[in-house]
Amino acid sequence: KGFNPHPKTVFSVPLSVGTASLCEFMDFKITEEVSGEVICSTLNSVFPDGLRAIDAYEPTSKFHDIGWADYEIRMEIANADGYVEPVKAALGEPIVIEKTTKIGTRTLDVSEYVKILSVTEENGELVLRTKLCCDDANFVNPKYVIEFIAGKLGIPGERDDYSVCRTAVYLEDGETPFR
């Protein structure tokens, strides 16, 4: 609308640079009635390789209702199977991190905002599946969990030695999928 109209879009919970995702959400309004299939087809025709719209629908929730997200963290470390039990034990203790925000750095225990789904060894990698709080007040970046584990257990490695993928997004109850 106006003299210089331009599209307006809103995206859900942001991802850190280098983090992959299987569940991103984008909100936009259109000026005419169009089916979800046509919207997906149109978007996919112009999206770059690796980015695909899989569904388009009228939302039932707002982005500020998002409270939790599942992540898969894969760490390439020697003797990964030897770290499964120590990681489980470490994550059962208080998870104290240094969280840096716009107002400074604080030391926080984020244990109540981290739910461990599983810790396994797969193909020589330590694989941690976790549900992290992602509401505005208590957002837990997956890097904090990685740094906690690495520091607690003395796991050596650089950023290139792990990967993070967001696999699901939930409402504030942590159980209801966002839609």
Side-chain angles (χ1 to χ4, degrees):
K1 297 181 179 181
F3 187 71
N4 291 313
H6 58 278
K8 293 182 181 179
T9 58
V10 180
F11 296 88
S12 65
V13 181
L15 285 174
S16 298
V17 173
T19 301
S21 179
L22 301 177
C23 56
E24 290 305 293
F25 297 91
M26 177 174 67
D27 190 7
F28 58 92
K29 293 181 182 180
I30 54 177
T31 58
E32 57 191 62
E33 194 71 28
V34 180
S35 74
E37 293 81 21
V38 170
I39 292 171
C40 287
S41 175
T42 302
L43 289 172
N44 287 335
S45 71
V46 295
F47 277 166
D49 288 343
L51 182 62
R52 291 284 153 251
I54 56 172
D55 199 4
Y57 52 87
E58 186 76 27
T60 58
S61 304
K62 297 189 180 298
F63 288 150
H64 69 267
D65 296 332
I66 294 174
W68 293 86
D70 285 351
Y71 293 88
E72 180 180 273
I73 300 169
R74 292 182 166 271
M75 302 175 77
E76 293 179 26
I77 54 176
N79 189 27
D81 57 336
Y83 283 101
V84 171
E85 292 307 318
V87 167
K88 287 179 183 177
L91 292 171
E93 300 174 11
I95 302 172
V96 179
I97 62 159
E98 293 290 320
K99 185 172 183 178
T100 302
T101 64
K102 293 177 186 176
I103 60 172
T105 301
R106 298 180 297 160
T107 301
L108 300 171
D109 179 359
V110 296
S111 302
E112 66 183 289
Y113 308 115
V114 177
K115 298 177 182 179
I116 304 308
L117 305 176
S118 69
V119 180
T120 59
E121 180 277 330
E122 297 174 18
N123 301 319
E125 293 180 313
L126 181 65
V127 180
L128 171 64
R129 290 180 180 86
T130 185
K131 185 174 293 203
L132 303 177
C133 184
C134 60
D135 66 23
D136 291 337
N138 303 301
F139 182 84
V140 177
N141 190 317
K143 79 171 186 169
Y144 293 132
V145 176
I146 295 165
E147 290 169 355
F148 173 78
I149 292 169
K152 186 83 170 174
L153 301 177
I155 298 173
E158 298 297 324
R159 171 62 180 100
D160 294 340
D161 294 340
Y162 67 85
S163 64
V164 179
C165 182
R166 181 163 52 203
T167 58
V169 178
Y170 302 94
L171 297 178
E172 296 162 333
D173 66 4
E175 300 297 322
T176 307
F178 174 79
R179 187 145 167 89

